[in-house]
Amino acid sequence: MSTTTSLDNHVLNRLALTESNMSELSQIDHECSTIGEKLAYWRASKYDFAVATRRLHETQEWRANSGMDRIVSDPNWLQKERKFRYLLKYDFLGLDKYGRPVMVERVGAWNVRDVMEAAANDDDFLKLHCIACETLIHMDRPNDAVDDRGQVIIMDCQGLSVGHLKPGLIKAFGRLSSNDSAHYPDTLAHIFVVNAPTLFSVLATLIKPFMDPDTYSKVHVSSSVPKNLTEIVGSDCLPKSLGGKREGIFPYNEDAPLSDHPRAETMNHSRSI
């Protein structure tokens, strides 16, 4: 867990690394990936070029075997993902004031029994989660965005109960976290856990083994909605329930329409790796 600053240290570090190691990144033998992807895998591999190369090839193989590039442009899968949002109470809020994609999830409002039933089909559960990951990655950012990879996730835990601690549920979301670490590294700028009851400390202890230490360091927990959420993210994209300006948006108004993300023009192409 960590404190937050307006301009994140890890972003500054990433920019410095990009400038100083541009030529060295060519040592990562994966011609299909961008400089940004190579840098992300290099950072996630503790600056080991050989490990970064291996991990990039593993991700390429995973994408081929899972059919991920086909799934993210398949209307049937995209429709399934929209229904998935009603189950997990999440949606995409657009971009924060730094041009980073923002997603909110009302974890505490889950019907735990329904989520458990959906998670029993672990293959589909993972694929639907990955569509959300792909949506965040492909969301258009301003050309002058300082952070060209980071995302902001807000988890609202109001209503969290002991039902959320079921071993099957922890295992299912542990698998999602492990997959994210393997195939979507260095994408998180912040995870804000808001309205967290005391019980969350138990949940955090259970999920910590599944999380990459660098990711865990970006988790910020508050028992309410912290004031610095609007300072860091900006109020324009946030709903009023989180201190922002927006009214009547899903998932805080469950009768409101879902956001229009993902958009066809950003999803109807494969990632470079």
Side-chain angles (χ1 to χ4, degrees):
M1 311 272 179
S2 71
T3 57
T4 54
T5 57
S6 294
L7 193 55
D8 312 316
N9 290 331
H10 82 280
V11 175
L12 295 174
N13 185 32
R14 182 189 294 143
L15 292 172
L17 283 170
T18 303
E19 293 177 1
S20 63
N21 298 93
M22 188 71 73
S23 60
E24 292 179 337
L25 288 175
S26 63
Q27 295 180 45
I28 298 177
D29 183 19
H30 196 274
E31 61 183 15
C32 295
S33 60
T34 66
I35 288 294
E37 287 164 342
K38 288 181 177 181
L39 180 61
Y41 278 78
W42 184 48
R43 280 170 48 86
S45 302
K46 310 303 180 188
Y47 310 107
D48 185 314
F49 292 111
V51 174
T53 298
R54 173 178 58 77
R55 289 187 57 178
L56 275 162
H57 283 284
E58 288 173 350
T59 291
Q60 184 178 37
E61 183 178 359
W62 166 76
R63 294 185 72 83
N65 291 339
S66 65
M68 189 50 57
D69 293 323
R70 172 185 55 80
I71 287 170
V72 296
S73 59
D74 184 320
N76 291 327
W77 274 106
L78 294 178
Q79 185 59 35
K80 287 180 181 179
E81 186 273 330
R82 294 183 75 80
K83 292 180 180 178
F84 197 52
R85 298 185 207 182
Y86 290 106
L87 175 70
L88 295 186
K89 313 291 186 188
Y90 74 89
D91 206 356
F92 309 98
L93 301 181
L95 304 178
D96 76 356
K97 67 180 185 181
Y98 294 112
R100 299 176 295 201
V102 181
M103 187 180 88
V104 63
E105 185 166 2
R106 294 182 62 205
V107 177
W110 288 351
N111 181 317
V112 173
R113 178 179 296 178
D114 289 348
V115 176
M116 286 281 292
E117 289 179 1
N121 185 340
D122 55 0
D123 188 53
D124 280 6
F125 201 69
L126 176 61
K127 287 176 180 175
L128 292 167
H129 168 76
C130 288
I131 293 174
C133 294
E134 297 282 327
T135 299
L136 289 165
I137 284 175
H138 286 298
M139 202 174 290
D140 280 338
R141 303 176 190 235
N143 292 331
D144 60 351
V146 174
D147 187 354
D148 62 357
R149 191 169 174 86
Q151 307 159 6
V152 178
I153 308 298
I154 304 168
M155 300 177 67
D156 191 336
C157 289
Q158 186 168 18
L160 194 79
S161 69
V162 292
H164 289 78
L165 305 181
K166 291 181 180 296
L169 203 58
I170 299 298
K171 182 179 179 180
F173 282 89
R175 185 186 180 213
L176 303 188
S177 181
S178 296
N179 190 81
D180 291 350
S181 295
H183 304 304
Y184 300 101
D186 200 35
T187 55
L188 287 172
H190 299 287
I191 302 178
F192 288 94
V193 179
V194 304
N195 296 319
T198 305
L199 181 65
F200 179 79
S201 61
V202 178
L203 182 60
T205 300
L206 293 173
I207 64 175
K208 184 176 180 180
F210 298 105
M211 296 184 71
D212 179 83
D214 184 58
T215 298
Y216 194 75
S217 71
K218 299 170 186 173
V219 178
H220 322 290
V221 181
S222 175
S223 60
S224 59
V225 176
K227 291 181 180 179
N228 66 351
L229 178 60
T230 53
E231 293 171 2
I232 293 167
V233 176
S235 60
D236 289 344
C237 72
L238 293 174
K240 283 198 168 183
S241 298
L242 296 176
K245 298 178 180 179
R246 299 176 66 185
E247 295 186 63
I249 63 168
F250 188 83
Y252 287 93
N253 179 346
E254 296 193 34
D255 293 324
L258 299 175
S259 72
D260 62 354
H261 300 286
R263 295 169 181 163
E265 64 270 22
T266 62
M267 296 294 280
N268 284 337
H269 60 85
S270 298
R271 288 185 66 204
S272 56
I273 58 174

